[in-house]
Amino acid sequence: MDPRTQRPGAMSHGPGVIRTTCSSSGIFGVGAPPPGPAPVPGPSEGLLARGYPTTYPALLKVAQMISLLIAFLCVKNSMWTDYSAYSYFEVVTMCDLLMILVFYLVHLFCIYRMLTCISWPLAEFLHYLIGTILLLIASIVAASKSHGIGGLVAGAVFGFLATFLCTASIWLSYKISCITQATAAAV
């Protein structure tokens, strides 16, 4: 039935196509993959993003992992009396470090190309948002309970440094998302 001659409120029961896709929009929201099965990287692309370790997001992730590891080691090797405060700090730093490592490997080995049903930019943004808030709380608690013990103070300082670096990652990913949407809307 021609939609121009169809009376208002009437429904068409003819054949129709409903297309649904589940895909992420690339490494930072740049270029959505075409509908259909996930493309398998060709021999020229490979599974390793050779240029990724030299990019700013990768270097920022490495700096975050190093500062989190130093914060964890400082607190782990110090004498502390408040078990719950510092065990919370250790758990938060290790979980954050492991998640950052996972996202680093996802980008390094181009896993986002194979698992297109996960919105990787959104997952990474939510990880940084939640992880940064938990890390800030853990660093504040660690700093307030340190009582001038050098290792605990150093752990808290590196926790605050990691918090700052994670905040920078949130800001950079949001900035990139806004630029991508603005340029996509202009086209």
PDB file of all heavy atoms in Angstrom, residues 112-138:
ATOM      1  N   TYR A 112      38.711  -4.303  20.315  1.00  0.00           N
ATOM      2  CA  TYR A 112      37.465  -3.583  20.047  1.00  0.00           C
ATOM      3  C   TYR A 112      36.938  -3.877  18.654  1.00  0.00           C
ATOM      4  O   TYR A 112      35.750  -3.725  18.397  1.00  0.00           O
ATOM      5  CB  TYR A 112      37.650  -2.074  20.242  1.00  0.00           C
ATOM      6  CG  TYR A 112      38.705  -1.469  19.359  1.00  0.00           C
ATOM      7  CD1 TYR A 112      38.397  -1.011  18.101  1.00  0.00           C
ATOM      8  CD2 TYR A 112      40.017  -1.366  19.800  1.00  0.00           C
ATOM      9  CE1 TYR A 112      39.363  -0.467  17.273  1.00  0.00           C
ATOM     10  CE2 TYR A 112      40.987  -0.819  18.993  1.00  0.00           C
ATOM     11  CZ  TYR A 112      40.659  -0.374  17.731  1.00  0.00           C
ATOM     12  OH  TYR A 112      41.630   0.157  16.923  1.00  0.00           O
ATOM     13  N   ARG A 113      37.788  -4.326  17.729  1.00  0.00           N
ATOM     14  CA  ARG A 113      37.326  -4.699  16.386  1.00  0.00           C
ATOM     15  C   ARG A 113      36.578  -6.025  16.391  1.00  0.00           C
ATOM     16  O   ARG A 113      35.689  -6.246  15.579  1.00  0.00           O
ATOM     17  CB  ARG A 113      38.514  -4.823  15.433  1.00  0.00           C
ATOM     18  CG  ARG A 113      39.159  -3.530  15.101  1.00  0.00           C
ATOM     19  CD  ARG A 113      40.275  -3.754  14.130  1.00  0.00           C
ATOM     20  NE  ARG A 113      41.042  -2.544  13.913  1.00  0.00           N
ATOM     21  CZ  ARG A 113      42.224  -2.522  13.351  1.00  0.00           C
ATOM     22  NH1 ARG A 113      42.791  -3.628  12.941  1.00  0.00           N
ATOM     23  NH2 ARG A 113      42.849  -1.378  13.194  1.00  0.00           N
ATOM     24  N   MET A 114      36.984  -6.925  17.291  1.00  0.00           N
ATOM     25  CA  MET A 114      36.358  -8.250  17.334  1.00  0.00           C
ATOM     26  C   MET A 114      35.111  -8.263  18.206  1.00  0.00           C
ATOM     27  O   MET A 114      34.170  -8.990  17.925  1.00  0.00           O
ATOM     28  CB  MET A 114      37.374  -9.274  17.838  1.00  0.00           C
ATOM     29  CG  MET A 114      38.533  -9.474  16.877  1.00  0.00           C
ATOM     30  SD  MET A 114      39.755 -10.592  17.507  1.00  0.00           S
ATOM     31  CE  MET A 114      40.713  -9.481  18.528  1.00  0.00           C
ATOM     32  N   LEU A 115      35.100  -7.505  19.283  1.00  0.00           N
ATOM     33  CA  LEU A 115      33.954  -7.450  20.195  1.00  0.00           C
ATOM     34  C   LEU A 115      33.208  -6.140  19.978  1.00  0.00           C
ATOM     35  O   LEU A 115      33.318  -5.205  20.758  1.00  0.00           O
ATOM     36  CB  LEU A 115      34.424  -7.565  21.646  1.00  0.00           C
ATOM     37  CG  LEU A 115      35.083  -8.882  22.037  1.00  0.00           C
ATOM     38  CD1 LEU A 115      35.636  -8.801  23.442  1.00  0.00           C
ATOM     39  CD2 LEU A 115      34.098 -10.030  21.906  1.00  0.00           C
ATOM     40  N   THR A 116      32.426  -6.107  18.923  1.00  0.00           N
ATOM     41  CA  THR A 116      31.756  -4.857  18.561  1.00  0.00           C
ATOM     42  C   THR A 116      30.463  -4.630  19.324  1.00  0.00           C
ATOM     43  O   THR A 116      29.879  -3.557  19.211  1.00  0.00           O
ATOM     44  CB  THR A 116      31.457  -4.828  17.046  1.00  0.00           C
ATOM     45  OG1 THR A 116      30.664  -5.968  16.720  1.00  0.00           O
ATOM     46  CG2 THR A 116      32.748  -4.836  16.245  1.00  0.00           C
ATOM     47  N   CYS A 117      29.987  -5.612  20.079  1.00  0.00           N
ATOM     48  CA  CYS A 117      28.750  -5.423  20.851  1.00  0.00           C
ATOM     49  C   CYS A 117      28.992  -4.625  22.125  1.00  0.00           C
ATOM     50  O   CYS A 117      28.041  -4.266  22.805  1.00  0.00           O
ATOM     51  CB  CYS A 117      28.115  -6.766  21.186  1.00  0.00           C
ATOM     52  SG  CYS A 117      27.341  -7.509  19.746  1.00  0.00           S
ATOM     53  N   ILE A 118      30.242  -4.376  22.468  1.00  0.00           N
ATOM     54  CA  ILE A 118      30.570  -3.585  23.652  1.00  0.00           C
ATOM     55  C   ILE A 118      30.921  -2.182  23.189  1.00  0.00           C
ATOM     56  O   ILE A 118      31.732  -2.005  22.289  1.00  0.00           O
ATOM     57  CB  ILE A 118      31.756  -4.200  24.416  1.00  0.00           C
ATOM     58  CG1 ILE A 118      31.391  -5.596  24.904  1.00  0.00           C
ATOM     59  CG2 ILE A 118      32.176  -3.303  25.576  1.00  0.00           C
ATOM     60  CD1 ILE A 118      32.544  -6.353  25.510  1.00  0.00           C
ATOM     61  N   SER A 119      30.313  -1.224  23.800  1.00  0.00           N
ATOM     62  CA  SER A 119      30.670   0.164  23.505  1.00  0.00           C
ATOM     63  C   SER A 119      31.935   0.484  24.307  1.00  0.00           C
ATOM     64  O   SER A 119      31.867   0.884  25.470  1.00  0.00           O
ATOM     65  CB  SER A 119      29.527   1.099  23.883  1.00  0.00           C
ATOM     66  OG  SER A 119      29.925   2.431  23.675  1.00  0.00           O
ATOM     67  N   TRP A 120      33.086   0.304  23.694  1.00  0.00           N
ATOM     68  CA  TRP A 120      34.358   0.468  24.398  1.00  0.00           C
ATOM     69  C   TRP A 120      34.577   1.884  24.904  1.00  0.00           C
ATOM     70  O   TRP A 120      35.047   2.066  26.033  1.00  0.00           O
ATOM     71  CB  TRP A 120      35.513  -0.010  23.519  1.00  0.00           C
ATOM     72  CG  TRP A 120      35.492  -1.488  23.346  1.00  0.00           C
ATOM     73  CD1 TRP A 120      35.104  -2.176  22.227  1.00  0.00           C
ATOM     74  CD2 TRP A 120      35.816  -2.476  24.318  1.00  0.00           C
ATOM     75  NE1 TRP A 120      35.173  -3.524  22.453  1.00  0.00           N
ATOM     76  CE2 TRP A 120      35.617  -3.739  23.738  1.00  0.00           C
ATOM     77  CE3 TRP A 120      36.253  -2.419  25.635  1.00  0.00           C
ATOM     78  CZ2 TRP A 120      35.844  -4.924  24.412  1.00  0.00           C
ATOM     79  CZ3 TRP A 120      36.485  -3.606  26.311  1.00  0.00           C
ATOM     80  CH2 TRP A 120      36.285  -4.843  25.696  1.00  0.00           C
ATOM     81  N   PRO A 121      34.272   2.916  24.121  1.00  0.00           N
ATOM     82  CA  PRO A 121      34.452   4.267  24.673  1.00  0.00           C
ATOM     83  C   PRO A 121      33.586   4.517  25.898  1.00  0.00           C
ATOM     84  O   PRO A 121      34.036   5.124  26.873  1.00  0.00           O
ATOM     85  CB  PRO A 121      34.063   5.183  23.509  1.00  0.00           C
ATOM     86  CG  PRO A 121      34.247   4.360  22.294  1.00  0.00           C
ATOM     87  CD  PRO A 121      33.923   2.960  22.694  1.00  0.00           C
ATOM     88  N   LEU A 122      32.349   4.035  25.881  1.00  0.00           N
ATOM     89  CA  LEU A 122      31.466   4.212  27.032  1.00  0.00           C
ATOM     90  C   LEU A 122      31.968   3.408  28.226  1.00  0.00           C
ATOM     91  O   LEU A 122      31.969   3.900  29.358  1.00  0.00           O
ATOM     92  CB  LEU A 122      30.038   3.812  26.681  1.00  0.00           C
ATOM     93  CG  LEU A 122      29.023   3.908  27.818  1.00  0.00           C
ATOM     94  CD1 LEU A 122      28.885   5.358  28.279  1.00  0.00           C
ATOM     95  CD2 LEU A 122      27.689   3.340  27.386  1.00  0.00           C
ATOM     96  N   ALA A 123      32.388   2.173  27.982  1.00  0.00           N
ATOM     97  CA  ALA A 123      32.901   1.334  29.072  1.00  0.00           C
ATOM     98  C   ALA A 123      34.137   1.965  29.706  1.00  0.00           C
ATOM     99  O   ALA A 123      34.274   2.000  30.930  1.00  0.00           O
ATOM    100  CB  ALA A 123      33.222  -0.064  28.546  1.00  0.00           C
ATOM    101  N   GLU A 124      35.020   2.480  28.869  1.00  0.00           N
ATOM    102  CA  GLU A 124      36.231   3.108  29.403  1.00  0.00           C
ATOM    103  C   GLU A 124      35.899   4.398  30.151  1.00  0.00           C
ATOM    104  O   GLU A 124      36.460   4.666  31.215  1.00  0.00           O
ATOM    105  CB  GLU A 124      37.215   3.392  28.265  1.00  0.00           C
ATOM    106  CG  GLU A 124      38.570   3.784  28.732  1.00  0.00           C
ATOM    107  CD  GLU A 124      39.605   3.772  27.629  1.00  0.00           C
ATOM    108  OE1 GLU A 124      39.264   3.506  26.458  1.00  0.00           O
ATOM    109  OE2 GLU A 124      40.770   4.034  27.942  1.00  0.00           O
ATOM    110  N   PHE A 125      34.963   5.161  29.627  1.00  0.00           N
ATOM    111  CA  PHE A 125      34.561   6.394  30.305  1.00  0.00           C
ATOM    112  C   PHE A 125      33.954   6.085  31.681  1.00  0.00           C
ATOM    113  O   PHE A 125      34.304   6.729  32.673  1.00  0.00           O
ATOM    114  CB  PHE A 125      33.557   7.165  29.440  1.00  0.00           C
ATOM    115  CG  PHE A 125      33.050   8.419  30.087  1.00  0.00           C
ATOM    116  CD1 PHE A 125      33.841   9.555  30.133  1.00  0.00           C
ATOM    117  CD2 PHE A 125      31.785   8.471  30.644  1.00  0.00           C
ATOM    118  CE1 PHE A 125      33.387  10.715  30.738  1.00  0.00           C
ATOM    119  CE2 PHE A 125      31.325   9.622  31.247  1.00  0.00           C
ATOM    120  CZ  PHE A 125      32.122  10.750  31.290  1.00  0.00           C
ATOM    121  N   LEU A 126      33.075   5.092  31.736  1.00  0.00           N
ATOM    122  CA  LEU A 126      32.453   4.737  33.013  1.00  0.00           C
ATOM    123  C   LEU A 126      33.473   4.179  33.996  1.00  0.00           C
ATOM    124  O   LEU A 126      33.418   4.468  35.192  1.00  0.00           O
ATOM    125  CB  LEU A 126      31.322   3.734  32.796  1.00  0.00           C
ATOM    126  CG  LEU A 126      30.074   4.293  32.124  1.00  0.00           C
ATOM    127  CD1 LEU A 126      29.063   3.189  31.866  1.00  0.00           C
ATOM    128  CD2 LEU A 126      29.463   5.403  32.958  1.00  0.00           C
ATOM    129  N   HIS A 127      34.424   3.396  33.483  1.00  0.00           N
ATOM    130  CA  HIS A 127      35.484   2.895  34.356  1.00  0.00           C
ATOM    131  C   HIS A 127      36.272   4.040  34.964  1.00  0.00           C
ATOM    132  O   HIS A 127      36.535   4.065  36.163  1.00  0.00           O
ATOM    133  CB  HIS A 127      36.438   1.970  33.601  1.00  0.00           C
ATOM    134  CG  HIS A 127      37.769   1.866  34.266  1.00  0.00           C
ATOM    135  ND1 HIS A 127      38.860   2.573  33.825  1.00  0.00           N
ATOM    136  CD2 HIS A 127      38.171   1.203  35.361  1.00  0.00           C
ATOM    137  CE1 HIS A 127      39.884   2.323  34.631  1.00  0.00           C
ATOM    138  NE2 HIS A 127      39.496   1.500  35.563  1.00  0.00           N
ATOM    139  N   TYR A 128      36.675   4.992  34.115  1.00  0.00           N
ATOM    140  CA  TYR A 128      37.458   6.110  34.632  1.00  0.00           C
ATOM    141  C   TYR A 128      36.642   6.955  35.604  1.00  0.00           C
ATOM    142  O   TYR A 128      37.172   7.425  36.614  1.00  0.00           O
ATOM    143  CB  TYR A 128      37.990   6.982  33.493  1.00  0.00           C
ATOM    144  CG  TYR A 128      39.282   6.471  32.932  1.00  0.00           C
ATOM    145  CD1 TYR A 128      39.398   6.117  31.600  1.00  0.00           C
ATOM    146  CD2 TYR A 128      40.402   6.354  33.741  1.00  0.00           C
ATOM    147  CE1 TYR A 128      40.586   5.648  31.095  1.00  0.00           C
ATOM    148  CE2 TYR A 128      41.593   5.885  33.241  1.00  0.00           C
ATOM    149  CZ  TYR A 128      41.687   5.535  31.912  1.00  0.00           C
ATOM    150  OH  TYR A 128      42.876   5.068  31.416  1.00  0.00           O
ATOM    151  N   LEU A 129      35.375   7.151  35.321  1.00  0.00           N
ATOM    152  CA  LEU A 129      34.539   7.960  36.199  1.00  0.00           C
ATOM    153  C   LEU A 129      34.403   7.318  37.581  1.00  0.00           C
ATOM    154  O   LEU A 129      34.688   7.949  38.599  1.00  0.00           O
ATOM    155  CB  LEU A 129      33.161   8.167  35.570  1.00  0.00           C
ATOM    156  CG  LEU A 129      32.201   9.072  36.319  1.00  0.00           C
ATOM    157  CD1 LEU A 129      32.734  10.500  36.309  1.00  0.00           C
ATOM    158  CD2 LEU A 129      30.828   9.018  35.693  1.00  0.00           C
ATOM    159  N   ILE A 130      34.019   6.054  37.611  1.00  0.00           N
ATOM    160  CA  ILE A 130      33.835   5.357  38.884  1.00  0.00           C
ATOM    161  C   ILE A 130      35.175   5.137  39.580  1.00  0.00           C
ATOM    162  O   ILE A 130      35.319   5.361  40.786  1.00  0.00           O
ATOM    163  CB  ILE A 130      33.087   4.031  38.657  1.00  0.00           C
ATOM    164  CG1 ILE A 130      31.671   4.323  38.162  1.00  0.00           C
ATOM    165  CG2 ILE A 130      33.053   3.188  39.929  1.00  0.00           C
ATOM    166  CD1 ILE A 130      30.939   3.126  37.613  1.00  0.00           C
ATOM    167  N   GLY A 131      36.187   4.697  38.821  1.00  0.00           N
ATOM    168  CA  GLY A 131      37.497   4.436  39.394  1.00  0.00           C
ATOM    169  C   GLY A 131      38.148   5.679  39.969  1.00  0.00           C
ATOM    170  O   GLY A 131      38.808   5.624  41.016  1.00  0.00           O
ATOM    171  N   THR A 132      37.958   6.817  39.310  1.00  0.00           N
ATOM    172  CA  THR A 132      38.543   8.067  39.798  1.00  0.00           C
ATOM    173  C   THR A 132      37.895   8.502  41.106  1.00  0.00           C
ATOM    174  O   THR A 132      38.588   8.942  42.033  1.00  0.00           O
ATOM    175  CB  THR A 132      38.404   9.173  38.732  1.00  0.00           C
ATOM    176  OG1 THR A 132      39.046   8.735  37.541  1.00  0.00           O
ATOM    177  CG2 THR A 132      39.022  10.463  39.190  1.00  0.00           C
ATOM    178  N   ILE A 133      36.588   8.362  41.191  1.00  0.00           N
ATOM    179  CA  ILE A 133      35.897   8.728  42.434  1.00  0.00           C
ATOM    180  C   ILE A 133      36.347   7.824  43.583  1.00  0.00           C
ATOM    181  O   ILE A 133      36.673   8.304  44.679  1.00  0.00           O
ATOM    182  CB  ILE A 133      34.368   8.664  42.243  1.00  0.00           C
ATOM    183  CG1 ILE A 133      33.914   9.785  41.294  1.00  0.00           C
ATOM    184  CG2 ILE A 133      33.641   8.773  43.574  1.00  0.00           C
ATOM    185  CD1 ILE A 133      32.488   9.661  40.822  1.00  0.00           C
ATOM    186  N   LEU A 134      36.419   6.513  43.341  1.00  0.00           N
ATOM    187  CA  LEU A 134      36.869   5.591  44.385  1.00  0.00           C
ATOM    188  C   LEU A 134      38.321   5.842  44.768  1.00  0.00           C
ATOM    189  O   LEU A 134      38.687   5.771  45.942  1.00  0.00           O
ATOM    190  CB  LEU A 134      36.681   4.143  43.924  1.00  0.00           C
ATOM    191  CG  LEU A 134      35.246   3.662  43.780  1.00  0.00           C
ATOM    192  CD1 LEU A 134      35.205   2.246  43.218  1.00  0.00           C
ATOM    193  CD2 LEU A 134      34.515   3.732  45.105  1.00  0.00           C
ATOM    194  N   LEU A 135      39.160   6.148  43.779  1.00  0.00           N
ATOM    195  CA  LEU A 135      40.573   6.418  44.049  1.00  0.00           C
ATOM    196  C   LEU A 135      40.745   7.716  44.834  1.00  0.00           C
ATOM    197  O   LEU A 135      41.591   7.799  45.731  1.00  0.00           O
ATOM    198  CB  LEU A 135      41.352   6.471  42.738  1.00  0.00           C
ATOM    199  CG  LEU A 135      42.860   6.548  42.833  1.00  0.00           C
ATOM    200  CD1 LEU A 135      43.421   5.367  43.599  1.00  0.00           C
ATOM    201  CD2 LEU A 135      43.463   6.604  41.446  1.00  0.00           C
ATOM    202  N   LEU A 136      39.942   8.715  44.530  1.00  0.00           N
ATOM    203  CA  LEU A 136      40.000   9.963  45.279  1.00  0.00           C
ATOM    204  C   LEU A 136      39.609   9.734  46.742  1.00  0.00           C
ATOM    205  O   LEU A 136      40.286  10.212  47.651  1.00  0.00           O
ATOM    206  CB  LEU A 136      39.090  11.019  44.646  1.00  0.00           C
ATOM    207  CG  LEU A 136      39.028  12.369  45.352  1.00  0.00           C
ATOM    208  CD1 LEU A 136      40.391  13.052  45.319  1.00  0.00           C
ATOM    209  CD2 LEU A 136      37.983  13.254  44.715  1.00  0.00           C
ATOM    210  N   ILE A 137      38.546   8.968  46.957  1.00  0.00           N
ATOM    211  CA  ILE A 137      38.123   8.658  48.331  1.00  0.00           C
ATOM    212  C   ILE A 137      39.217   7.881  49.058  1.00  0.00           C
ATOM    213  O   ILE A 137      39.559   8.189  50.205  1.00  0.00           O
ATOM    214  CB  ILE A 137      36.791   7.877  48.320  1.00  0.00           C
ATOM    215  CG1 ILE A 137      35.654   8.768  47.817  1.00  0.00           C
ATOM    216  CG2 ILE A 137      36.467   7.322  49.708  1.00  0.00           C
ATOM    217  CD1 ILE A 137      34.375   8.025  47.510  1.00  0.00           C
ATOM    218  N   ALA A 138      39.793   6.885  48.382  1.00  0.00           N
ATOM    219  CA  ALA A 138      40.842   6.075  49.008  1.00  0.00           C
ATOM    220  C   ALA A 138      42.068   6.914  49.329  1.00  0.00           C
ATOM    221  O   ALA A 138      42.694   6.741  50.386  1.00  0.00           O
ATOM    222  CB  ALA A 138      41.215   4.910  48.100  1.00  0.00           C
TER     223      ALA A 138
END
